[in-house]
Amino acid sequence: MTIDEQIKEVVDLHDRYSVVRYPDQSSCSPMELLDMFNTWHSKAAILFSRYLSNDDENLVKFKNIEKGNSYVNADLFDDIETFFQILIDKLHYSVAYQLESLIQEGNEIVKTISYVKAPSGIIRMFDVYNVEDETRYQTWKSKSIRFLNVNFKDDTESTAFVEAANSFDKSHYTPKYLKEMVGILISFKEIPNNIKRKENVKQTPPSAVTVNINQSQTQNQKINLFIEAISDELTGKQYKELQSIAQEESNPDTLKQKIVEKLKSFGGDVLSNIVANIITNPSVWNSML
């Protein structure tokens, strides 16, 4: 089961339970509701623990809840729904998710390669193949190389991926090289340790290694900083409303205006508390001193 399929499963379980969770408003029995809640929460906790850090504050809060009977769980659902939505978002930014998506798309592109027959009367000394969507392939290749440079820059397999890509392009899209590229991505998924080449480790001073690591993590840190800043201030419903605006509005200026207006509608203290959470975060606060 892919990460997308696992995410869909827990989201579907979440949505089904949210509709029928109150025993006095549901056709389900209290025992059925109890089982629905426990199934959703257990599968979600396993999914998050598999791909996210177990030190994540939202994950800790989500996992360590005090479950009760069907009535208690119905009310508890409101308290942990925000954590659930935040963790789903984080999952989409995780290295594991991005890697899984690249592997899946690579396999799809492999299936679109077709053999090009030589014109009548022409004898070729080599085979020629065609990729159905050239733009899609080139975009996938660029994204994959960018991903490996950010997350596995000093791993020898990152260099092997680029070499396989060059061979694929030069060999008139011979399928075996594209399959090799996908295989390299799979190897990172199954054995994700970033093993640096010995010569690079000897030549690179510790301070430079620290800089490289910090740079590769900058984007995720910024995202996590914002997500954590709002996690204690918004309910699950409010968080979903912000998500809906972000998904529907593509113009940055209009999006900013709508987000601010929506935050104001939540109450005067919400916006100021979110800003305070960001400023008082140690990584931000220390840089201001």
Side-chain angles (χ1 to χ4, degrees):
M1 183 180 291
T2 66
I3 296 182
D4 277 327
E5 291 170 338
Q6 294 176 62
I7 292 176
K8 184 179 185 304
E9 180 184 30
V10 297
V11 170
D12 286 346
L13 289 170
H14 162 276
D15 293 345
R16 285 200 294 270
Y17 176 76
S18 67
V19 175
V20 300
R21 57 187 165 129
Y22 287 107
D24 56 345
Q25 303 173 15
S26 173
S27 59
C28 299
S29 68
M31 187 60 65
E32 289 174 325
L33 292 175
L34 190 64
D35 182 62
M36 289 176 67
F37 179 87
N38 287 334
T39 299
W40 161 68
H41 183 264
S42 297
K43 285 183 177 291
I46 292 173
L47 175 62
F48 296 144
S49 297
R50 183 177 298 151
Y51 296 111
L52 300 175
S53 170
N54 283 310
D55 295 329
D56 188 293
E57 181 180 354
N58 294 289
L59 178 54
V60 172
K61 291 177 180 178
F62 182 82
K63 290 169 62 175
N64 297 334
I65 58 173
E66 294 290 337
K67 297 180 184 179
N69 58 34
S70 57
Y71 292 91
V72 172
N73 291 344
D75 292 331
L76 180 62
F77 183 79
D78 284 328
D79 297 331
I80 65 173
E81 188 179 18
T82 299
F83 305 139
F84 176 75
Q85 298 295 342
I86 289 173
L87 291 168
I88 287 291
D89 281 353
K90 283 188 174 183
L91 202 55
H92 283 97
Y93 286 107
S94 69
V95 171
Y97 178 84
Q98 295 176 62
L99 187 53
E100 180 75 35
S101 298
L102 290 172
I103 292 171
Q104 181 177 338
E105 186 173 10
N107 281 324
E108 291 172 357
I109 295 173
V110 168
K111 296 177 182 178
T112 71
I113 298 177
S114 58
Y115 180 73
V116 179
K117 295 182 179 180
S120 178
I122 300 296
I123 298 177
R124 283 195 311 227
M125 304 303 294
F126 51 85
D127 291 329
V128 175
Y129 296 85
N130 177 65
V131 175
E132 185 176 272
D133 190 335
E134 172 77 20
T135 300
R136 182 188 185 189
Y137 160 67
Q138 294 295 343
T139 301
W140 173 81
K141 180 181 73 173
S142 297
K143 287 193 302 184
S144 298
I145 293 175
R146 172 63 178 163
F147 171 82
L148 294 177
N149 282 339
V150 170
N151 297 284
F152 303 95
K153 182 176 181 180
D154 296 318
D155 197 299
T156 55
E157 287 300 292
S158 294
T159 302
F161 183 92
V162 175
E163 292 173 350
N166 291 335
S167 296
F168 181 65
D169 294 341
K170 293 177 181 179
S171 66
H172 307 284
Y173 296 155
T174 301
K176 70 175 183 179
Y177 294 113
L178 182 54
K179 292 177 181 179
E180 181 181 344
M181 294 161 71
V182 175
I184 290 171
L185 294 178
I186 293 174
S187 73
F188 280 113
K189 173 188 174 182
E190 298 182 351
I191 310 176
N193 292 340
N194 186 2
I195 303 174
K196 303 179 184 298
R197 283 178 282 185
K198 293 183 179 180
E199 63 270 22
N200 285 349
V201 173
K202 292 179 180 178
Q203 296 173 3
T204 305
S207 58
V209 174
T210 301
V211 170
N212 287 336
I213 293 174
N214 288 339
Q215 288 176 339
S216 68
Q217 296 176 340
T218 298
Q219 183 178 2
N220 284 341
Q221 288 175 342
K222 289 179 179 178
I223 294 168
N224 291 342
L225 174 61
F226 173 74
I227 290 176
E228 290 172 1
I230 67 175
S231 63
D232 292 332
E233 303 301 328
L234 302 181
T235 65
K237 181 180 179 181
Q238 290 171 334
Y239 189 82
K240 280 186 174 180
E241 290 179 20
L242 291 180
Q243 279 185 312
S244 178
I245 294 174
Q247 292 169 355
E248 295 173 0
E249 183 56 62
S250 58
N251 184 287
D253 293 332
T254 306
L255 174 61
K256 178 181 178 181
Q257 181 180 353
K258 288 184 177 181
I259 289 291
V260 172
E261 290 175 355
K262 177 58 67 175
L263 288 172
K264 287 181 178 179
S265 72
F266 295 155
D269 293 335
V270 172
L271 185 56
S272 58
N273 286 344
I274 291 175
V275 174
N277 283 348
I278 295 175
I279 294 177
T280 55
N281 183 281
S283 62
V284 176
W285 182 251
N286 290 336
S287 67
M288 297 175 63
L289 298 179

